[in-house]
Amino acid sequence: MRPLSVAFIIGLFAGSVVAPELSLTSLYILLIALFLAGIFLQREGLRTLVFLFAFFVVGVIRMAIADVPLHLDGLVVSFEPLRRELSDGFVCFGISGDENAVVNAMVLGDKTGISHQLRTVYSQTGASHVLALSGMHLAIIYFMLSWLVMRTMLWVYAIPELLWEKLPVERNVKLRKAVRLLLRLLPSEQIFRNIISLIILLAIWLYVILVGMSSSVVRSAVMLSVYGVSRMLFRKTDTITVLAI
């Protein structure tokens, strides 16, 4: 995996700094041909070289379509009523003035309420980064959800087994059948953990849309998704591969 990751980094970077001279159709055909050649080649060195050129083409295509809109504005706008409700909820809890502006910036990514004077204070103290949603904020939310939700759901997962051990199921035929059926329907603990992890990642991405999908938050969500999926697949961490992703 490491040679492919190095090839990806070098190829994508080189392709990104070269202006495309071919049409997109030609680039797509070339890309498909290179990937097919890389898949069927047997020699590792030659395969890596072919993939290097393939990723170079990917970098060129990336620059060619960099200005194509993704049409995600409508998705972000659809969460605007929820953002307003949450912002009004802070006021209901007695959070107003500068405190309300700071909470809105840190939780919802809305910095419109921060006054110039308050912004200057944070800048002079070197804490301006706290006001901008970034990977730090999202990582805190992710690990809090992972700890709280995973512990709670694993406790819920153990309830049928506890019922089987504690309740007099041997004397009650109907109860024994119901608990036994529930135990059979339950997935394995690892599958259950993976389902919970996917739900947490879904919640993280919904939060990303809620706060407006800024570049720093999206980048952090992508990395957390990679981290979460790699844990589900029991993959070992490799720095070069993580950087390539």
Side-chain angles (χ1 to χ4, degrees):
M1 189 65 188
R2 178 178 284 265
L4 289 182
S5 300
V6 174
F8 176 81
I9 295 172
I10 297 175
L12 185 66
F13 176 77
S16 298
V17 298
V18 175
E21 298 179 358
L22 300 174
S23 66
L24 280 178
T25 303
S26 302
L27 289 173
Y28 287 135
I29 294 174
L30 177 60
L31 181 62
I32 293 172
L34 287 171
F35 273 128
L36 288 175
I39 290 172
F40 290 105
L41 282 173
Q42 298 298 323
R43 296 182 62 180
E44 185 66 28
L46 190 57
R47 177 190 299 176
T48 302
L49 184 63
V50 170
F51 275 120
L52 174 63
F53 283 107
F55 295 135
F56 173 82
V57 176
V58 170
V60 175
I61 293 175
R62 173 186 171 275
M63 296 307 296
I65 64 174
D67 296 329
V68 177
L70 296 178
H71 304 292
L72 295 175
D73 292 341
L75 186 62
V76 175
V77 171
S78 65
F79 278 73
E80 184 62 32
L82 179 58
R83 280 195 293 270
R84 286 199 299 267
E85 289 183 12
L86 291 173
S87 181
D88 295 339
F90 298 148
V91 178
C92 294
F93 279 103
I95 304 174
S96 59
D98 287 342
E99 291 81 4
N100 183 272
V102 172
V103 170
N104 272 281
M106 294 180 63
V107 177
L108 300 177
D110 181 12
K111 296 186 287 185
T112 57
I114 299 179
S115 63
H116 177 71
Q117 182 180 2
L118 184 61
R119 196 185 299 269
T120 302
V121 171
Y122 271 87
S123 177
Q124 291 177 346
T125 56
S128 298
H129 63 279
V130 177
L131 299 177
L133 279 175
S134 62
M136 176 188 70
H137 299 78
L138 208 61
I140 292 173
I141 295 173
Y142 174 80
F143 287 110
M144 285 181 62
L145 284 176
S146 298
W147 188 79
L148 291 173
V149 177
M150 190 65 74
R151 286 176 66 93
T152 303
M153 296 309 296
L154 286 177
W155 184 83
V156 173
Y157 179 84
I159 288 179
E161 188 173 348
L162 291 174
L163 288 174
W164 183 264
E165 293 177 357
K166 302 297 182 181
L167 293 179
V169 292
E170 296 298 333
R171 300 177 185 177
N172 192 323
V173 178
K174 291 184 179 180
L175 181 61
R176 182 171 67 249
K177 288 183 178 180
V179 176
R180 184 178 295 173
L181 177 62
L182 187 59
L183 287 171
R184 287 179 179 176
L185 292 176
L186 283 177
S188 66
E189 183 176 338
Q190 185 56 46
I191 294 177
F192 187 78
R193 285 176 178 269
N194 290 347
I195 293 173
I196 301 303
S197 297
L198 288 175
I199 293 174
I200 292 172
L201 289 177
L202 177 61
I204 288 295
W205 278 102
L206 288 175
Y207 178 74
V208 169
I209 299 172
L210 175 66
V211 299
M213 297 189 70
S214 63
S215 301
S216 58
V217 177
V218 171
R219 181 172 60 247
S220 177
V222 170
M223 294 308 297
L224 287 173
S225 299
V226 173
Y227 171 78
V229 172
S230 64
R231 288 192 63 186
M232 285 186 273
L233 298 176
F234 298 102
R235 302 285 295 195
K236 292 182 179 180
T237 302
D238 179 76
T239 306
I240 298 298
T241 304
V242 171
L243 179 61
I245 294 173

